[in-house]
Amino acid sequence: MARNPYKDQIAVVGVGSTPYGRDLGRSHLSLGLEAAVNAIRDAGIDKQEVDGICGSGMTPLAQGGSGFLSLQGALGIERCTWALNSWLGSAFVYAAQAVATGLCDTVLVVQTYQRDPGMSRSANADPFRRNLSKFGDVGGDIGGPDFAKRWVHSGEPYAAWMRRYMHDFGTNKDAFAYMAMNNRAQGARNPAAVMQNPITYDEYHSSRMIWEPMQIYDMDVPVDCAEAHVITTVERARDLKHKPVLIHAMALGGTRCGEFYENSLPWTELAHWVSAKGMLDRSDIKPPEVDLFYPYDGYTIDAVCTVEATGWCKPGETGDFFKESWDPVEGILKLNGRTQVSTHGGGLALGRAGGSNFYSEAVRQLRGTEGARQVADAKTALINIGSFFHDPSAVMLRTD
């Protein structure tokens, strides 16, 4: 076992979400503030109890968005002893780390996303979205005219990895198809999801090709949305209104591939494998024991990677494993006949939120508040979020 001094000592006590939509016509800050207020109210605390903020974005002193400077000022939080901006699954881990190390006692995590001009022709044609993209995140150091500083994130490297995975392991596209089918089916159960219609195996295979062999159903859905979480100590959590959801184990993961995707490593050395091992080395709970599993689905190949990195099956076996785990009656995955996957629909159906909605859904399910969507007796959840190349996180949540 690796060191885990914070095990079950930190808890998620507040969750807040905005509506999800393709064209909400709102700024990052507007979305972030709504989610933040909802999370603080959900926790049942005074906003002045928040003494740490993790805002949204990659620029330390971002302006014009939903970074910690804008959030603290707009919320009227007087004093913080810790602040950071981050994204993907790492934002949650950094915030929990700040509480665990005593840099703050109660931290607010806010993550916002928008359907920006780089995501679709319709978004690029919208002057509102073009202006938000142009003037947001003022002071950023990513992109610009200097190609040496340009970091372009798109689907091409993941499409290449889909082809390489199929070639190296001699598989077809069943792993990707079943992941897409599961998430669209789960999304149809979730009133908040942007995509409400399930898809069939044949519909997946006949969908529009984007980058061979990646199809439209392999990609998450760009939306306008925000998610927020309040994290504090277990001692404080015991006095609040909701059943605490404990952070049992967590880890990030970095590899030597550096800044550029073309420096990719072999399949079992990608970043998800590093974060998964780091978390599992610290956890008393192993994947076959969990009730809920949330593999990141920015692209379906991400989910396949996390399935194998966390040990549900061996490399190259996800297609067969998913086929065996498919429940034809409910039309969803049940790993080993019991563990449900992405109960909210994930990015493929609920919408793209950089994985922050995975944490929100896991917390709500572990609280047992989801009515007709509730997974009976859910006590544990495994969440894996992030890129093959950067910012992967692996988190195990549990309740008493």
Side-chain angles (χ1 to χ4, degrees):
M1 293 286 289
R3 291 189 308 112
N4 189 4
Y6 59 82
K7 182 173 66 177
D8 301 333
Q9 300 303 305
I10 311 299
V12 187
V13 296
V15 178
S17 306
T18 67
Y20 278 58
R22 297 280 283 169
D23 193 12
L24 297 184
R26 297 173 59 185
S27 68
H28 279 281
L29 184 57
S30 170
L31 292 164
L33 289 173
E34 179 180 342
V37 169
N38 290 342
I40 292 169
R41 288 176 175 169
D42 181 63
I45 63 173
D46 187 277
K47 65 182 182 181
Q48 302 304 343
E49 291 185 61
V50 172
D51 57 353
I53 298 176
C54 187
S56 185
M58 293 181 288
T59 305
L61 297 177
Q63 303 171 44
S66 192
F68 65 81
L69 291 172
S70 299
L71 289 168
Q72 183 173 358
L75 289 168
I77 294 172
E78 296 294 338
R79 295 175 178 85
C80 286
T81 58
W82 178 84
L84 182 73
N85 290 334
S86 186
W87 70 324
L88 292 175
S90 57
F92 183 96
V93 175
Y94 290 142
Q97 175 190 24
V99 176
T101 58
L103 287 171
C104 58
D105 292 322
T106 302
V107 64
L108 172 68
V109 188
V110 178
Q111 294 289 284
T112 64
Y113 275 78
Q114 285 189 326
R115 187 170 61 91
D116 68 37
M119 292 181 176
S120 70
R121 293 176 183 174
S122 61
N124 191 52
D126 183 343
F128 172 77
R129 295 179 187 279
R130 290 202 307 271
N131 283 335
L132 283 178
S133 177
K134 181 179 180 181
F135 296 109
D137 201 32
V138 177
D141 57 359
I142 294 173
D146 183 356
F147 187 80
K149 294 173 61 177
R150 190 173 299 161
W151 185 77
V152 180
H153 177 82
S154 193
E156 297 96 325
Y158 293 92
W161 255 114
M162 289 176 72
R163 173 58 67 197
R164 179 173 172 179
Y165 178 87
M166 294 165 65
H167 173 272
D168 288 354
F169 297 109
T171 69
N172 56 24
K173 295 178 70 173
D174 278 356
F176 316 126
Y178 279 103
M179 192 66 217
M181 291 160 59
N182 174 81
N183 286 21
R184 288 295 291 266
Q186 294 283 12
R189 301 176 174 189
N190 184 359
V194 170
M195 295 298 177
Q196 289 285 325
N197 297 321
I199 60 171
T200 66
Y201 183 86
D202 290 339
E203 286 171 332
Y204 167 84
H205 282 285
S206 63
S207 66
R208 178 161 57 97
M209 192 67 67
I210 305 300
W211 294 286
E212 172 67 33
M214 182 183 288
Q215 297 176 237
I216 191 67
Y217 290 141
D218 289 307
M219 305 171 67
D220 60 8
V221 181
V223 293
D224 303 337
C225 68
E227 298 283 346
H229 310 107
V230 176
I231 301 172
T232 190
T233 64
V234 166
E235 289 79 10
R236 178 69 180 105
R238 301 294 185 198
D239 296 328
L240 300 178
K241 61 181 182 179
H242 292 296
K243 176 172 64 175
V245 173
L246 310 180
I247 300 174
H248 177 72
M250 60 183 183
L252 300 174
T255 63
R256 67 180 188 277
C257 72
E259 299 177 68
F260 300 103
Y261 286 0
E262 61 265 29
N263 294 338
S264 185
L265 301 173
W267 179 249
T268 58
E269 297 178 28
L270 295 172
H272 283 306
W273 296 76
V274 180
S275 61
K277 185 179 187 306
M279 185 276 296
L280 291 173
D281 284 348
R282 292 163 172 79
S283 176
D284 298 330
I285 305 164
K286 302 308 176 187
E289 301 168 329
V290 303
D291 303 308
L292 306 166
F293 179 42
Y294 296 93
Y296 187 55
D297 61 349
Y299 306 97
T300 54
I301 185 68
D302 280 300
V304 172
C305 189
T306 62
V307 167
E308 297 178 5
T310 48
W312 289 96
C313 62
K314 295 179 180 178
E317 294 183 354
T318 298
D320 291 338
F321 179 57
F322 277 178
K323 189 178 297 185
E324 294 166 1
S325 299
W326 188 253
D327 185 325
V329 176
E330 296 193 52
I332 59 174
L333 289 168
K334 290 187 177 179
L335 306 186
N336 296 329
R338 57 176 299 275
T339 302
Q340 289 204 33
V341 180
S342 298
T343 51
H344 58 327
L348 298 177
L350 173 55
R352 176 188 178 90
S356 56
N357 53 18
F358 290 57
Y359 293 119
S360 300
E361 172 71 6
V363 169
R364 291 178 174 128
Q365 285 285 344
L366 294 178
R367 286 177 176 178
T369 61
E370 295 312 285
R373 297 195 310 111
Q374 180 62 47
V375 177
D377 301 319
K379 302 292 185 185
T380 53
L382 171 58
I383 303 158
N384 296 83
I385 297 170
S387 164
F388 280 10
F389 314 101
H390 59 83
D391 293 292
S393 65
V395 175
M396 187 74 75
L397 301 178
R398 60 172 288 266
T399 55
D400 290 333

